Amino acid sequence: METGRVINKRYLLQRLIQQGSASSVYQGVDQVLQRAVAIKVVPAEQIPVYRAAIRATAQFSHPNIIGLYDLIVEPDVLYVVQEYVEGDTFETLLQSHLTPYYVADLGMQICQALLYATTSPRKVCHGDLTPASILRDRSGQIRVNNFALSTDMYYFSNWSIVGGNNSIISDPEIPLGQMSDGRKDDDVRAVGLLMYQLLAGRSSDATVVEPPADGRLRFQRNVPAELCDVIARTAIRQHPQHITTADLLQAELKVILDQLEPPPPPVTIAPAPAYKIDEFSASSKHATSGALRDRNLSEATYNDTRARLAAMQQERDAGTTAADNISMKLAAARPAAYAAPELPARRINLPLLLLIGLVLFILFFVVGYFIAHSLLP
């Protein structure tokens, strides 16, 4: 199959993502909806298996399961158009050296997908839960693919040495994906094997974990004993407390997750500038405390941080109070120091003004009379 080809006048093949024994997977573009898609190219001999799987899972809609978009049938090939998930393959997860907390969380998310698939009216078992079926998207969500497809017999035959009880697949006579107690046990055991591979002792650059030759599980030193026990009970069929269903495994992992809280993110408190003493108000202190709580800090870390914040606030409050007192005293002293002296009020003497006006009128009249007689003979 050549890249650059357009399928059904809509889906452009861009690049090969994965070449498997039963199909090839390409990254493509839906030219109608303008979105990235994953396109499985299925050869003619595998078409009946894929069509049956798609009929069983066409209505699936779950955040931990990769969605199906379209199906294009041609005489000698089948195109399965799926949601494109950008993220990490299981091989990348192995090299990431995940902590026990995140491995337990991964197992819980896979259990949620299995529980959804086996719930009425779906009642579908996975049957091929291998590393190739697991992806982690950029938000940290685990996405499960390849429900109800043919079982990878080579993979499960190799891992049957680990508590397989000489059984590779349960109920081989019933159709692929059809639910039974044995099939549900197979899927849950496959989850245990995946978790073990992520926590097994191995070299730092390993991209694949091989089954131990003696069938004994060997974990890294930092794995809690409780998690080792749960994985062993899941993977080893002959264990007296063997975990056979996804709901039981999910409950066990939930208890472990509650005990293995992830480490809190580092908190850095920058000192406030001296010229902005009033910025650290009571409301901002409460907002900072709320943000710290939202980050899931441990109680000791939170109390220590709150004590430091309270001490900083007391120092700033003290400085602000002293400055406010000085400002108030200066403001009170300014009117006394700079106010102009008050002048006594003056009353107007109306009779005196009238008398002065009359005298001035008589004076101007007399002067005018003498001037007129001296100029006119």
Side-chain angles (χ1 to χ4, degrees), residues 72-84:
I72 301 166
V73 182
E74 294 186 358
D76 56 348
V77 68
L78 176 73
Y79 300 99
V80 182
V81 184
Q82 292 183 300
E83 175 186 5
Y84 175 72

Side-chain angles (χ1 to χ4, degrees), residues 1 23 55 58 107 111 121 132 161 185 229 276 280 312 319 330 333 373:
M1 185 64 60
S23 66
R55 281 195 297 268
C111 285
I161 194 173
D185 184 9
D229 180 64
K276 290 186 178 179
F280 197 85
M312 291 170 61
L330 289 175
H373 280 278

Side-chain angles (χ1 to χ4, degrees), residues 90-117:
F90 193 84
E91 176 182 309
T92 305
L93 296 179
L94 280 175
Q95 294 180 312
S96 301
H97 298 281
L98 301 179
T99 65
Y101 176 89
Y102 290 111
V103 173
D105 181 65
L106 176 144
M108 267 200 68
Q109 292 190 53
I110 300 176
C111 285
Q112 290 168 3
L114 295 178
L115 287 171
Y116 171 84

Side-chain angles (χ1 to χ4, degrees), residues 336-377:
Y338 297 105
E342 295 184 1
L343 297 176
R346 296 182 179 180
R347 295 182 179 180
I348 299 176
N349 194 334
L350 185 58
L352 179 60
L353 289 177
L354 291 175
L355 179 60
I356 294 174
L358 181 58
V359 172
L360 290 174
F361 175 79
I362 294 174
L363 179 61
F364 285 117
F365 180 82
V366 172
V367 172
Y369 177 80
F370 282 105
I371 293 175
H373 280 278
S374 61
L375 295 176
L376 300 173

Side-chain angles (χ1 to χ4, degrees), residues 5 24 28 45 52 62 76 92 106 147 171 188 233 239 252 274 295 314 326 333 364 370 374:
R5 181 182 175 187
S24 303
E45 62 272 16
H62 190 273
D76 56 348
T92 305
L106 176 144
F147 273 86
D171 302 325
V188 173
R233 290 166 53 201
H239 195 288
E252 296 277 1
R295 293 180 181 178
Q314 291 177 359
I326 294 174
F364 285 117
F370 282 105
S374 61

Side-chain angles (χ1 to χ4, degrees), residues 41-343:
V41 183
V42 182
E45 62 272 16
Q46 293 292 330
I47 289 179
V49 173
Y50 274 81
R51 295 193 72 166
I54 290 168
R55 281 195 297 268
T57 62
Q59 303 301 319
F60 278 16
S61 179
H62 190 273
N64 292 118
I65 299 177
I66 294 178
L68 174 67
Y69 290 158
D70 201 356
L71 183 66
I72 301 166
V73 182
E74 294 186 358
D76 56 348
V77 68
L78 176 73
Y79 300 99
V80 182
V81 184
Q82 292 183 300
E83 175 186 5
Y84 175 72
V85 177
E86 184 176 359
D88 300 321
T89 63
F90 193 84
E91 176 182 309
T92 305
L93 296 179
L94 280 175
Q95 294 180 312
S96 301
H97 298 281
L98 301 179
T99 65
Y101 176 89
Y102 290 111
V103 173
D105 181 65
L106 176 144
M108 267 200 68
Q109 292 190 53
I110 300 176
C111 285
Q112 290 168 3
L114 295 178
L115 287 171
Y116 171 84
T118 55
T119 302
S120 180
R122 291 168 290 272
K123 297 184 178 180
V124 176
C125 285
H126 192 288
D128 190 38
L129 203 51
T130 65
S133 301
I134 303 298
L135 291 172
R136 182 179 67 176
D137 65 23
R138 295 304 183 201
S139 66
Q141 194 91 354
I142 298 301
R143 313 298 301 277
V144 183
N145 198 14
N146 301 334
F147 273 86
L149 292 179
S150 300
T151 303
D152 187 341
M153 299 300 291
Y154 178 79
Y155 171 84
F156 287 105
S157 295
N158 285 345
W159 281 98
S160 64
I161 194 173
V162 179
N165 200 23
N166 298 322
S167 174
I168 300 174
I169 180 174
S170 299
D171 302 325
E173 70 281 356
I174 64 177
L176 295 172
Q178 185 170 322
M179 188 176 71
S180 70
D181 290 342
R183 291 279 179 86
K184 289 194 290 185
D185 184 9
D186 288 350
D187 285 348
V188 173
R189 178 174 178 271
V191 178
L193 293 176
L194 291 172
M195 289 192 293
Y196 169 71
Q197 291 173 64
L198 292 170
L199 296 175
R202 60 186 186 275
S203 61
S204 59
D205 58 346
T207 58
V208 176
V209 175
E210 296 293 341
D214 58 359
R216 299 181 60 183
L217 301 178
R218 294 176 175 84
F219 294 90
Q220 299 171 7
R221 292 185 178 181
N222 65 329
V223 182
E226 296 82 1
L227 183 54
C228 296
D229 180 64
V230 168
I231 293 176
R233 290 166 53 201
T234 305
I236 300 175
R237 295 185 192 274
Q238 60 267 36
H239 195 288
Q241 296 177 324
H242 177 51
I243 299 174
T244 60
T245 60
D247 54 345
L248 291 177
L249 178 57
Q250 180 177 266
E252 296 277 1
L253 293 175
K254 178 64 170 60
V255 174
I256 293 175
L257 283 174
D258 290 340
Q259 298 172 352
L260 297 177
E261 289 294 336
V267 178
T268 302
I269 303 176
Y275 56 86
K276 290 186 178 179
I277 295 177
D278 60 338
E279 280 192 352
F280 197 85
S281 61
S283 61
S284 64
K285 178 176 67 176
H286 294 159
T288 303
S289 300
L292 293 175
R293 286 193 295 269
D294 290 341
R295 293 180 181 178
N296 294 323
L297 292 177
S298 63
E299 183 178 358
T301 304
Y302 173 73
N303 291 336
D304 179 65
T305 304
R306 185 172 59 181
R308 284 186 288 163
L309 292 174
M312 291 170 61
Q313 180 63 24
Q314 291 177 359
E315 294 176 3
R316 289 167 178 166
D317 289 344
T320 303
T321 303
D324 289 344
N325 291 338
I326 294 174
S327 299
M328 292 174 63
K329 291 180 181 178
L330 289 175
R334 285 191 189 103
Y338 297 105
E342 295 184 1
L343 297 176

